[in-house]
Amino acid sequence: MDYLQIKRVDSLNGNIKISGAKNASLPLIAMTILAKNSVHIKNLPHVADINTLLKLLSNLGAKCDFQEDRVVVDTSALAQTKATYDIVKTMRASILVLGPILARFGHCEVSLPGGCAIGQRPVDLHLKALEQMGAKINIEAGYIQATAPDGLKGCHINFDKITVTGTANIVMAASLASGNTTLTNVAREPEVVQLCEILNASGVKIEGIGTSVLTVHGTNGKLIDIEEFSVIPDRIEAGTYLCAGAISRSELTLTHVDASHLDAVLAKLEEMGSTFTITKDTITIHPSEVIKPVKIVTQEYPAFPTDMQAQFLALATQANGTSIIEERLFENRFMHVSELQRMGANISLNGSVATINGGTQLSGTDVMATDLRASSALVLAGLVANGTTDVHRIYHLDRGYDALEKKLEAVGANVKRLKE
Ligand code: UD1
């Protein structure tokens, strides 16, 4: 198993190229199930989750050719419709194949994802919406068995709770359904917006893109033609490197980034003292010597993302006062707190609220990554901790960060990938 060893340096300096967004790539790859042509996707990140989904599609009979940052996916020979436990257990987002496979073949089986480190994460809203569209759902022996022998039918679906992959799944299902599907209370994340835009450009008319009400005009089972496209930049990767600049008081320039997806993150960094120079596709952070404390509540886009909570918590340990961070999306997403405490951070937890008394000098030690974003919080802490920080179990990090240690090394960090 690999781990990362980080040694403090005085400061970082230079450019970091932001990769394509993992969370946009996953639904966009699942979307190829709806296509009659080979789909060319550019700007994919090299992260384990993408390989996992491509492996899942290959197991089902698709041809996937992933070279550099491009993939060509041909689902014309896709014949299997069962996503088995061995894959789904490594990546919950495998559930994204349920909607498109069911819509195309009239049946699909997906292993139930089960719990995960950051909370229960049920998929009940995905299933309820498919039932409303006429699917019959059975849960048997740990598998979701979905059938729709007469095809899926457009209807009105209101999501009780905003769900990102739930919205993507049902938009894809509705794309091949008969009639129109109106979805209310949908996720408005840029990753969902891109999925809708590509589908819309491929002949599935979608109204309301970017709002919380979508109307999808189904093709009545007709597969679609999808032209080559490029995945949007990863706003969470970008936010993480902005935090690296802020915590190490270093000027860093991110390239290939879209600042308009980062409003809430930039606003909080500004409150903490940083300023920015922004162009069409770059962001330069000018950090302040003194980091100010902050109050953050995680919510759905366009509010502050839960996927940036851990990184800001690490940053708040270096603020000159008390910060309050409330996690509203996932009930157990504070596992990084105990690891940061082991490094000397002064944090107290009360349910979903963390109180961070900043200003402590962190000390490097052995810490354990517990989930994807928690891992990057530990790396950020390691950048400013005295001595050496060894971050173990970085397979979590590898699920979602493309070449993190190489990108940090290129701006002067002392980060090495080593074997246990
Ligand atoms: C996606 C992102 C993840 C991010 C999360 C919230 C991907 C691949 N992953 O995850 O990085 O942290 O959005 O921004 O894009 N819920 C239910 N029932 C459901 C579905 C969700 O109760 O059927 C709940 C969840 O437990 C959670 C909330 O709704 O409390 C939001 O979850 P959701 O938006 O579905 O997260 P994911 O799509 O899994």
Side-chain angles (χ1 to χ4, degrees):
M1 227 191 279
D2 292 354
Y3 69 101
L4 285 185
Q5 183 163 86
I6 305 157
K7 291 186 178 151
R8 186 192 171 116
V9 293
D10 280 345
S11 70
L12 313 176
N13 183 23
N15 295 352
I16 298 180
K17 182 180 173 198
I18 298 305
S19 299
K22 168 184 89 75
N23 285 355
S25 305
L26 294 171
L28 291 167
I29 291 171
M31 176 192 70
T32 62
I33 296 166
L34 307 175
K36 59 174 179 244
N37 63 320
S38 291
V39 183
H40 293 238
I41 309 179
K42 294 189 293 181
N43 200 34
L44 280 178
H46 277 272
V47 298
D49 275 9
I50 301 298
N51 296 332
T52 303
L53 186 55
L54 292 175
K55 185 171 162 209
L56 168 54
L57 288 190
S58 302
N59 287 352
L60 300 180
K63 288 199 195 89
C64 305
D65 184 12
F66 188 15
Q67 315 254 359
E68 297 183 5
D69 68 346
R70 290 163 173 253
V71 73
V72 182
V73 186
D74 176 1
T75 61
S76 58
L78 196 146
Q80 302 291 323
T81 56
K82 183 170 179 176
T84 49
Y85 178 67
D86 54 329
I87 295 231
V88 179
K89 74 169 190 233
T90 63
M91 188 184 67
R92 302 178 46 79
S94 307
I95 191 74
L96 281 166
V97 301
L98 176 62
I101 291 184
L102 181 63
R104 176 165 158 185
F105 296 98
H107 52 89
C108 181
E109 271 184 78
V110 178
S111 169
L112 266 176
C116 82
I118 64 174
Q120 276 198 355
R121 301 184 83 178
V123 291
D124 56 313
L125 301 174
H126 303 230
L127 304 186
K128 190 175 155 202
L130 289 171
E131 280 178 336
Q132 283 179 266
M133 297 180 78
K136 299 248 171 318
I137 310 265
N138 249 332
I139 309 284
E140 211 172 291
Y143 277 80
I144 302 161
Q145 300 175 332
T147 53
D150 303 325
L152 294 172
K153 301 196 174 23
C155 61
H156 176 238
I157 294 162
N158 177 58
F159 287 101
D160 292 339
K161 215 172 179 181
I162 297 175
T163 158
V164 176
T165 47
T167 302
N169 225 342
I170 303 310
V171 164
M172 290 189 279
S175 294
L176 295 195
S178 59
N180 300 341
T181 307
T182 300
L183 307 167
T184 52
N185 200 29
V186 300
R188 291 180 288 157
E189 269 68 1
E191 295 77 17
V192 172
V193 169
Q194 183 174 32
L195 172 73
C196 292
E197 281 172 348
I198 305 283
L199 285 167
N200 192 53
S202 310
V204 181
K205 190 171 164 214
I206 303 184
E207 290 161 274
I209 297 176
T211 73
S212 50
V213 180
L214 292 171
T215 301
V216 183
H217 298 256
T219 65
N220 199 7
K222 247 178 66 195
L223 297 183
I224 56 177
D225 235 310
I226 302 173
E227 283 189 13
E228 177 176 288
F229 63 87
S230 193
V231 177
I232 58 170
D234 195 315
R235 64 195 165 96
I236 305 302
E237 187 197 22
T240 303
Y241 291 124
L242 292 173
C243 286
I247 201 167
S248 64
R249 279 86 160 173
S250 305
E251 191 163 293
L252 292 176
T253 296
L254 311 187
T255 66
H256 300 77
V257 65
D258 186 339
S260 71
H261 297 160
L262 281 153
D263 283 349
V265 168
L266 293 172
K268 286 298 163 191
L269 285 170
E270 264 174 4
E271 274 179 52
M272 297 177 91
S274 295
T275 58
F276 302 94
T277 305
I278 294 173
T279 70
K280 194 172 142 276
D281 58 359
T282 69
I283 305 175
T284 301
I285 176 165
H286 313 289
S288 64
E289 211 32 59
V290 176
I291 299 170
K292 293 187 220 153
V294 73
K295 281 202 170 68
I296 290 176
V297 177
T298 66
Q299 271 167 307
E300 296 87 359
Y301 190 87
F304 188 90
T306 173
D307 285 352
M308 284 302 305
Q309 178 257 103
Q311 300 89 318
F312 269 76
L313 202 145
L315 179 56
T317 66
Q318 301 306 297
N320 72 337
T322 301
S323 300
I324 311 276
I325 300 186
E326 183 179 350
E327 172 56 54
R328 291 244 179 111
L329 271 290
F330 295 109
E331 65 273 25
N332 195 23
R333 203 172 199 179
F334 277 128
M335 309 245 289
H336 39 288
V337 165
S338 48
E339 299 302 295
L340 290 168
Q341 283 167 336
R342 297 187 58 253
M343 296 176 76
N346 181 346
I347 307 168
S348 57
L349 263 185
N350 185 1
S352 60
V353 179
T355 303
I356 307 108
N357 295 309
T360 40
Q361 173 58 54
L362 300 178
S363 316
T365 182
D366 288 285
V367 285
M368 192 118 75
T370 47
D371 71 63
L372 170 54
R373 307 302 170 185
S375 322
S376 60
L378 299 177
V379 173
L380 294 175
L383 292 176
V384 291
N386 279 337
T388 302
T389 305
D390 288 341
V391 183
H392 301 274
R393 298 207 179 162
I394 53 161
Y395 55 85
H396 289 293
L397 194 88
D398 293 336
R399 285 190 39 217
Y401 285 94
D402 186 351
L404 174 125
E405 74 275 15
K406 293 202 181 82
K407 292 188 186 191
L408 283 174
E409 266 184 334
V411 292
N414 187 341
V415 183
K416 285 192 177 41
R417 178 179 289 260
L418 300 169
K419 296 262 175 233
E420 299 280 2

